[in-house]
Amino acid sequence: MDNQKDLKFKSFFAWLEEQWKEKQLCLTDIEESRPSHFKAIMDQIKEADEGYLAGSMNRLDAALDRAKKIFLRAAELIRKTRAAA
C-alpha cells in the first residue's frame, strides 16, 4: 500500500507542477495571496496522509481531490485579482 500512496502523492505533486507551468502559479503564490486557501490545501494534504495511515485509500483520494479543487479556486481568484490590477 505504501507504493500506492507514493504514486498518489507523486501524481498530485506532478499535477501541481503542471498547474505552475500552465497558470504560472505555485503554492507560494497562493500562500502569499490567499493564505486561507493555502491552509486549506495543506489541511487536505494532511488529511490525505491521515487517511492513508488509517488504511483508507478512498479518504486519501478524496482529500487530494479536494486539495486540487481548492487550488483551482484560489488560482481563479488570484487571476481575477491580477487582471483587475
Side-chain angles (χ1 to χ4, degrees):
M1 199 150 103
D2 279 345
N3 199 24
Q4 283 182 317
K5 175 193 171 193
D6 290 344
L7 290 174
K8 302 257 182 198
F9 274 100
K10 283 180 184 177
S11 174
F12 175 73
F13 287 109
W15 179 85
L16 281 177
E17 186 175 338
E18 288 172 21
Q19 297 306 304
W20 174 75
K21 290 176 183 172
E22 181 182 311
K23 296 178 173 43
Q24 295 298 303
L25 185 74
C26 66
L27 283 176
T28 303
D29 297 322
I30 292 174
E31 182 179 24
E32 292 171 357
S33 300
R34 298 280 176 192
S36 63
H37 285 82
F38 177 79
K39 182 183 180 319
I41 292 168
M42 293 296 109
D43 287 347
Q44 290 307 307
I45 292 171
K46 181 180 176 187
E47 171 66 21
D49 195 46
E50 289 172 358
Y52 164 76
L53 293 173
S56 174
M57 292 303 284
N58 289 337
R59 192 170 149 195
L60 184 150
D61 288 336
L64 292 179
D65 286 344
R66 285 189 302 270
K68 286 179 180 180
K69 288 176 184 173
I70 295 165
F71 180 95
L72 292 173
R73 178 67 181 141
E76 180 65 17
L77 292 170
I78 291 169
R79 184 194 65 75
K80 286 180 180 178
T81 301
R82 288 178 179 171

